[in-house]
Amino acid sequence: MLYVGLARSGMRGDGLHRRLKQFRRTGAGRADNHAGGVWVFQLADADELRVCWRVSADPSDEGVAAEEHALIEGFVRGIGGGKRPFANRRD
């Protein structure tokens, strides 16, 4: 599983599409606006990664950010063994 980060809807309602495009372009060396993409695309199996997403029950920026924080903290306390998800340096 790979966590690509928070995707707010934005003015055009294209948050997830825009976030994934930033991630992909950064990994391909064509942009520098998604720090995680730099790390993830160095993985040996990066070309086999799949995309899944979760829709927040509260679509406000505050609600999505709170849910993101809770998910990361749950990862850290659970399978993360006290560490944040790979390539996720902050939330």
Side-chain angles (χ1 to χ4, degrees):
M1 180 186 301
L2 170 68
Y3 170 74
V4 297
L6 182 64
R8 292 185 172 104
S9 63
M11 291 176 58
R12 292 171 281 173
D14 64 347
L16 182 59
H17 178 267
R18 184 178 62 248
R19 184 74 168 162
L20 292 173
K21 182 178 178 181
Q22 291 171 344
F23 188 79
R24 181 182 47 80
R25 287 176 48 87
T26 300
R30 295 193 307 262
D32 63 358
N33 53 357
H34 195 298
V38 173
W39 295 94
V40 170
F41 284 98
Q42 294 180 33
L43 296 171
D45 60 351
D47 59 337
E48 297 175 29
L49 297 173
R50 294 182 182 193
V51 175
C52 299
W53 61 92
R54 177 180 173 156
V55 177
S56 178
D58 177 355
S60 71
D61 286 351
E62 296 79 15
V64 173
E67 189 168 347
E68 176 192 35
H69 180 74
L71 288 169
I72 291 172
E73 288 304 311
F75 178 91
V76 170
R77 287 190 306 273
I79 64 171
K83 296 182 181 178
R84 299 176 69 80
F86 175 74
N88 184 271
R89 295 179 277 191
R90 62 178 182 82
D91 62 8

